[in-house]
């Protein structure tokens, strides 16, 4: 059974540019969550999508956005990149219930120069 | 608001010795609690979870965790550490009384097992 797939694995962008990251969840998983991981702040919740609807959102500026498609695949977009956006972006999928743990992808390492 | 604390940035143990990685939480009611492990340049891997029932939960790779409601703790343990257990460990909590709430993670504890 395929795991959570995130593309690309590595990305280098320049300040001011925008970027789109992709996440394909495990087949049958309808919930997709995104996290930003940095050495200083740890794992910070960005947003969660379920059935194409954003169900929950973390405390990030509006430059960070996402969406989910009918096949549960999700994308997140960061506009007007800043140096501080350099991080590992992790996607996780889960079944519907709150008791379910997440299955994480390997992440996308974004470097903003 | 729900929160998780991992009071130790790093835990050092010798191979073969027992290990404990500490976690305390703040959630109203009975929380859902999780432990994850992260190896370098990888995503997080699920180790175990506590939802309800027996306070001692067994998980992957010989790990277990004990839920203590009075101390609001969920410490991760292993009777005999392996060098291959060296990794970054995260405790996480979810409030079961609010549908759709996110899994909130602690800052992580680096476990270093020496041979």
């Amino acid at each position: 059974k395929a795991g959570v797939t995130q593309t690309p694995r590595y990305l280098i962008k320049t300040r001011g540019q925008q970027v789109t990251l992709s996440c394909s969840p495990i087949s049958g998983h309808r919930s997709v969550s995104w996290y930003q991981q940095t050495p200083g702040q740890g794992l910070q919740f960005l947003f969660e999508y379920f059935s194409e609807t954003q169900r929950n959102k973390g405390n990030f500026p509006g430059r960070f956005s996402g969406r989910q498609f009918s096949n549960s695949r999700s994308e997140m977009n960061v506009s007007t990149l800043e140096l501080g956006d350099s991080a590992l972006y992790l996607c996780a999928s889960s079944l519907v219930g709150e008791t379910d743990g997440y299955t994480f992808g390997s992440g996308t390492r974004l470097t903003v120069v | 608001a729900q929160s998780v604390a991992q009071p130790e940035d790093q835990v050092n143990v010798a191979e073969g010795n027992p290990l404990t990685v500490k976690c305390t939480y703040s959630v109203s009611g009975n929380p859902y609690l999780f432990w994850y492990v992260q190896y370098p340049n990888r995503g997080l891997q699920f180790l175990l979870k506590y939802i309800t029932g027996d306070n001692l939960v067994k998980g992957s790779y010989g790990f277990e965790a004990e839920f203590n409601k009075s101390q609001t703790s969920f410490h991760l343990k292993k009777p005999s550490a392996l060098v291959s257990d060296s990794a970054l460990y995260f405790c996480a909590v979810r409030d079961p009384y609010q549908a759709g709430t996110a899994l909130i993670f602690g800052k992580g504890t680096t476990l270093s097992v020496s041979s």
Side-chain angles (χ1 to χ4, degrees):
Chain A
K1 174 169 160 178
V4 177
T5 303
Q6 290 189 247
T7 56
R9 285 297 310 276
Y10 301 93
L11 208 49
I12 299 175
K13 290 286 188 179
T14 305
R15 271 184 304 174
Q17 287 186 312
Q18 75 165 20
V19 66
T20 299
L21 312 181
S22 179
C23 172
S24 293
I26 288 176
S27 178
H29 284 194
R30 293 164 61 192
S31 172
V32 174
S33 298
W34 289 88
Y35 286 82
Q36 181 196 65
Q37 185 178 19
T38 58
Q41 297 299 316
L43 281 159
Q44 301 285 308
F45 171 71
L46 280 156
F47 25 65
E48 181 193 10
Y49 286 88
F50 175 73
S51 292
E52 303 178 64
T53 300
Q54 187 180 88
R55 195 162 65 163
N56 202 356
K57 188 176 189 304
N59 189 24
F60 277 81
R63 300 185 296 108
F64 291 81
S65 63
R67 60 178 175 169
Q68 186 179 34
F69 302 95
S70 58
N71 62 358
S72 294
R73 189 177 71 85
S74 177
E75 289 181 347
M76 67 163 282
N77 183 279
V78 188
S79 62
T80 319
L81 283 166
E82 302 176 359
L83 295 179
D85 297 333
S86 295
L88 180 66
Y89 289 88
L90 292 165
C91 166
S93 73
S94 69
L95 292 167
V96 176
E98 265 70 34
T99 61
D100 297 310
Y102 289 0
T103 301
F104 281 83
S106 294
T108 294
R109 173 76 62 185
L110 172 65
T111 302
V112 182
V113 297
Chain B
Q2 56 186 353
S3 64
V4 178
Q6 293 180 242
E8 301 155 318
D9 291 336
Q10 178 145 349
V11 170
N12 300 308
V13 298
E15 189 173 32
N17 283 359
L19 69 88
T20 299
V21 183
K22 295 179 181 178
C23 171
T24 59
Y25 64 89
S26 174
V27 169
S28 57
N30 298 316
Y32 295 158
L33 295 158
F34 303 80
W35 275 101
Y36 288 82
V37 60
Q38 185 179 34
Y39 297 98
N41 298 314
R42 302 288 298 274
L44 278 66
Q45 295 178 30
F46 170 78
L47 279 178
L48 51 79
K49 66 180 178 183
Y50 173 81
I51 304 301
T52 187
D54 193 349
N55 289 343
L56 185 63
V57 179
K58 294 190 183 297
S60 306
Y61 313 119
F63 284 94
E64 57 189 28
E66 186 168 11
F67 170 63
N68 188 318
K69 187 173 182 179
S70 62
Q71 297 185 7
T72 61
S73 67
F74 189 56
H75 301 331
L76 182 70
K77 300 181 180 184
K78 188 173 183 181
S80 178
L82 300 172
V83 172
S84 58
D85 292 331
S86 298
L88 182 57
Y89 289 81
F90 290 96
C91 180
V93 65
R94 184 174 234 171
D95 186 341
Y97 298 100
Q98 296 190 35
T101 55
L103 205 55
I104 302 301
F105 289 85
K107 289 204 174 288
T109 298
T110 298
L111 173 65
S112 178
V113 181
S114 56
S115 57

